Amino acid sequence: MTFWQENYHFIKDVYDMRHQKMAEWMENVEKAISRIMADKVYTSAEFKRERDNFHALCKDLERSEVKKWLAQILEILMAERAKPEREKEFEQLDGLIKKHEELIPWVSKITIKVDLYWKCYAYGDDLKPHIEFLDGIMLSSTREIAPSCVENVDEMIERQEKALVQLETKRGIVKDLIEKGNILLQNPEKPRFLDSHVQRIVDGWDDTKQKAQERLNLLNDTKAAWEGYAEGQETIALEFEKAEEEMKKIKKRFNVDNAKEDLAKRQAIYNKAKEDLELIYNKIKSDYETMGMTLPEDKKALMKKELDALTEKMAILVQFEDKVKKIEDFCNNLECFDNTSKSLDDWMTRASSELDNIKNHSHQMVPEDRVAVCMELQEDIAAKVAIIEESIAKEQELLPQGDSVPSDAMKHKEELARIHEYTLALQGKVKQETAKLFRGC
């Protein structure tokens, strides 16, 4: 009996042990690959452990010495064994070796992926402090603020400007990280989580930059609103005083040309006052609305009361407009009154001429025609007397009465009295002339 046959069981146990260890090693490699390729997103530390375990398992990937030893020992052991046993053992060894040969290219492929995945996890680690920085800027740029005075706003502006400067200093680093991520994304074997990593730094930079700038713009607008609101309060108070003073200057003038000229002046002053007051008021209101976006509620309520008080004071424009409108109506009535007087004066000249023609230049007319002409003139005079009486009634409403009557108003009164007196005298003369003509018929 040979040495191998004498020690068959011992050697066979050693062979089986090494065969089992080879099988277990391949199973462990497969498990390591399965964990690496799982959908789970590891932390970089977790993945490093998996990577190191995989590399440790795959140090002697070929296992040439082990496979050679197993083949040689099995050949010797099975030399004198029965054919069925020999075929079974060789079949098991062939299966083990075939499985190993299939494992080698798979492991080589996974090794490349492991290196790529590790780069992606390391890229995530590189991103982390910059993402945290961007998150900090985003938080400070979007949290609620409630400045209670312009000094608070100045402090916030200073901090926000510093944040934007810090962002700008990170621009180059972030740009490089984005480029690095885009290069990794070009690999078709990239892990799925890489897209979100790259997208997060891209969106994080764009969104943070936008929100930080928007917050600075809001703060600058708020500061301008605080300053504009305070300045507007002083300015509008002066404009209210000016409007009050201008309203006091609105008076009736009884010279038609002067009255129309003064009316145009008052209308221009009113329009300018209206334009200025509405512009200032709307600016104050706009400033209040801008401040209201960040004001504390108690401060906002106080300023709302101030704005409401200004809104009530804006009623001065209604008063101003009403006074100007009354003067406009007065001027129109005065002009109409004056035009009536001028028209009557022109008519008196013509009527006197007609009476003179009847008395001294109508000898060739038959008596009946002369009577008819006189009757027409008499009717005309009666109509004018009615108009004069209407003017006298209007004068009582339009012009001041009493002892202290302005000279320009007195001229209208005297002119109307002259016209009235002359017309009545003319009416008497025409009646006398008509009576003569009737007696002569």
Side-chain angles (χ1 to χ4, degrees):
M1 183 179 292
T2 65
F3 169 80
W4 298 98
Q5 295 303 316
E6 291 176 356
N7 296 282
Y8 173 81
H9 292 291
F10 171 74
I11 298 170
K12 183 68 166 62
D13 288 343
V14 173
Y15 171 84
D16 288 342
M17 180 189 68
R18 296 196 70 178
H19 186 285
Q20 180 64 28
K21 283 187 177 181
M22 177 77 170
E24 289 175 353
W25 168 78
M26 287 191 292
E27 184 178 347
N28 289 333
V29 170
E30 289 175 341
K31 287 180 179 179
I33 291 172
S34 177
R35 287 194 298 272
I36 286 171
M37 299 307 296
D39 288 337
K40 176 182 176 181
V41 178
Y42 296 99
T43 64
S44 59
E46 290 172 337
F47 187 80
K48 184 176 184 299
R49 286 195 295 271
E50 296 297 338
R51 182 199 66 170
D52 292 347
N53 178 55
F54 174 76
H55 282 161
L57 287 169
C58 298
K59 276 185 178 178
D60 183 17
L61 182 62
E62 297 295 329
R63 300 279 162 154
S64 302
E65 293 298 324
V66 175
K67 289 191 293 182
K68 182 179 178 182
W69 183 88
L70 288 172
Q72 289 177 344
I73 295 301
L74 186 62
E75 185 69 35
I76 296 170
L77 287 174
M78 294 296 115
E80 298 180 9
R81 308 304 290 180
K83 182 177 180 181
E85 182 183 358
R86 192 166 55 248
E87 288 178 351
K88 178 183 177 184
E89 290 293 337
F90 277 110
E91 184 178 341
Q92 289 177 349
L93 180 60
D94 289 343
L96 182 72
I97 292 172
K98 182 179 180 182
K99 183 176 181 180
H100 179 258
E101 289 173 350
E102 291 173 351
L103 183 64
I104 289 175
W106 188 26
V107 169
S108 299
K109 182 179 179 181
I110 296 302
T111 300
I112 297 172
K113 280 194 175 185
V114 167
D115 292 340
L116 173 62
Y117 280 31
W118 174 245
K119 288 179 183 178
C120 294
Y121 276 107
Y123 175 73
D125 285 348
D126 292 341
L127 288 183
K128 187 175 180 181
H130 303 291
I131 294 293
E132 290 175 352
F133 166 76
L134 293 175
D135 288 344
I137 299 292
M138 176 65 84
L139 180 62
S140 67
S141 298
T142 54
R143 67 187 173 198
E144 289 188 6
I145 55 174
S148 58
C149 61
V150 71
E151 288 77 14
N152 290 158
V153 181
D154 282 330
E155 293 171 3
M156 292 178 181
I157 288 174
E158 184 178 353
R159 288 197 296 270
Q160 197 64 24
E161 286 175 341
K162 286 181 180 178
L164 279 165
V165 169
Q166 290 174 335
L167 269 176
E168 197 57 37
T169 60
K170 293 277 188 180
R171 179 186 289 274
I173 297 172
V174 172
K175 183 179 178 181
D176 290 344
L177 285 170
I178 292 172
E179 289 179 359
K180 182 178 179 181
N182 287 331
I183 291 172
L184 290 172
L185 284 173
Q186 292 173 11
N187 193 315
E189 300 295 332
K190 65 184 178 294
R192 279 184 286 183
F193 67 78
L194 182 62
D195 290 275
S196 62
H197 278 6
V198 177
Q199 198 61 45
R200 190 174 180 193
I201 189 66
V202 171
D203 293 344
W205 171 259
D206 293 340
D207 292 346
T208 303
K209 180 74 174 175
Q210 179 182 345
K211 294 296 183 184
Q213 188 61 55
E214 287 175 356
R215 174 52 60 89
L216 180 60
N217 293 342
L218 173 62
L219 290 170
N220 284 329
D221 291 345
T222 302
K223 179 182 178 181
W226 273 93
E227 294 171 345
Y229 184 86
E231 182 182 343
Q233 291 281 1
E234 296 177 3
T235 305
I236 203 168
L238 294 175
E239 289 299 322
F240 282 140
E241 290 178 9
K242 283 171 60 177
E244 290 280 2
E245 291 300 317
E246 290 298 336
M247 281 197 294
K248 292 176 183 178
K249 295 177 184 178
I250 298 176
K251 300 182 184 300
K252 291 180 179 180
R253 298 177 185 273
F254 300 100
N255 179 285
V256 174
D257 291 336
N258 288 345
K260 291 168 68 175
E261 181 180 343
D262 185 68
L263 172 63
K265 180 180 178 181
R266 300 304 157 196
Q267 288 173 328
I269 291 172
Y270 162 72
N271 289 332
K272 183 67 166 61
K274 182 175 185 291
E275 179 183 352
D276 291 345
L277 275 170
E278 287 181 344
L279 183 66
I280 298 168
Y281 173 78
N282 289 334
K283 177 65 166 56
I284 290 173
K285 187 177 179 182
S286 174
D287 289 336
Y288 165 77
E289 289 171 352
T290 299
M291 289 188 295
M293 296 170 66
T294 57
L295 274 174
E297 288 302 318
D298 56 343
K299 186 74 173 180
K300 187 175 181 180
L302 288 174
M303 288 191 167
K304 181 65 166 61
K305 290 181 179 179
E306 293 178 355
L307 184 62
D308 290 342
L310 284 183
T311 304
E312 290 180 8
K313 286 185 179 180
M314 286 294 286
I316 194 174
L317 290 176
V318 177
Q319 300 167 20
F320 202 160
E321 182 182 25
D322 185 57
K323 294 194 75 169
V324 172
K325 182 65 171 62
K326 286 179 179 178
I327 289 298
E328 181 181 2
D329 293 341
F330 168 77
C331 286
N332 291 335
N333 291 332
L334 181 65
E335 186 175 22
C336 181
F337 177 83
D338 186 61
N339 288 338
T340 300
S341 295
K342 289 177 179 177
S343 176
L344 288 169
D345 184 59
D346 292 340
W347 169 81
M348 287 190 309
T349 303
R350 295 194 304 273
S352 297
S353 177
E354 287 182 26
L355 179 58
D356 180 64
N357 286 333
I358 293 169
K359 291 171 65 175
N360 303 314
H361 305 287
S362 61
H363 304 297
Q364 295 178 355
M365 294 174 64
V366 297
E368 290 81 0
D369 291 342
R370 292 174 71 189
V371 169
V373 171
C374 276
M375 290 298 291
E376 288 177 3
L377 180 56
Q378 193 170 332
E379 289 174 0
D380 190 18
I381 292 171
K384 294 300 186 287
V385 169
I387 292 173
I388 292 168
E389 288 173 350
E390 289 177 2
S391 288
I392 291 171
K394 287 181 181 177
E395 180 268 320
Q396 295 292 317
E397 298 175 0
L398 193 63
L399 303 177
Q401 308 299 317
D403 297 331
S404 302
V405 178
S407 60
D408 288 333
M410 186 57 72
K411 289 178 182 177
H412 289 292
K413 287 174 172 286
E414 291 171 349
E415 175 65 5
L416 182 59
R418 182 187 72 80
I419 292 170
H420 189 205
E421 182 181 349
Y422 186 91
T423 302
L424 291 178
L426 183 62
Q427 188 180 42
K429 292 176 183 179
V430 172
K431 285 181 178 180
Q432 290 177 3
E433 186 64 26
T434 303
K436 287 180 184 180
L437 291 174
F438 271 115
R439 287 195 297 269
C441 290

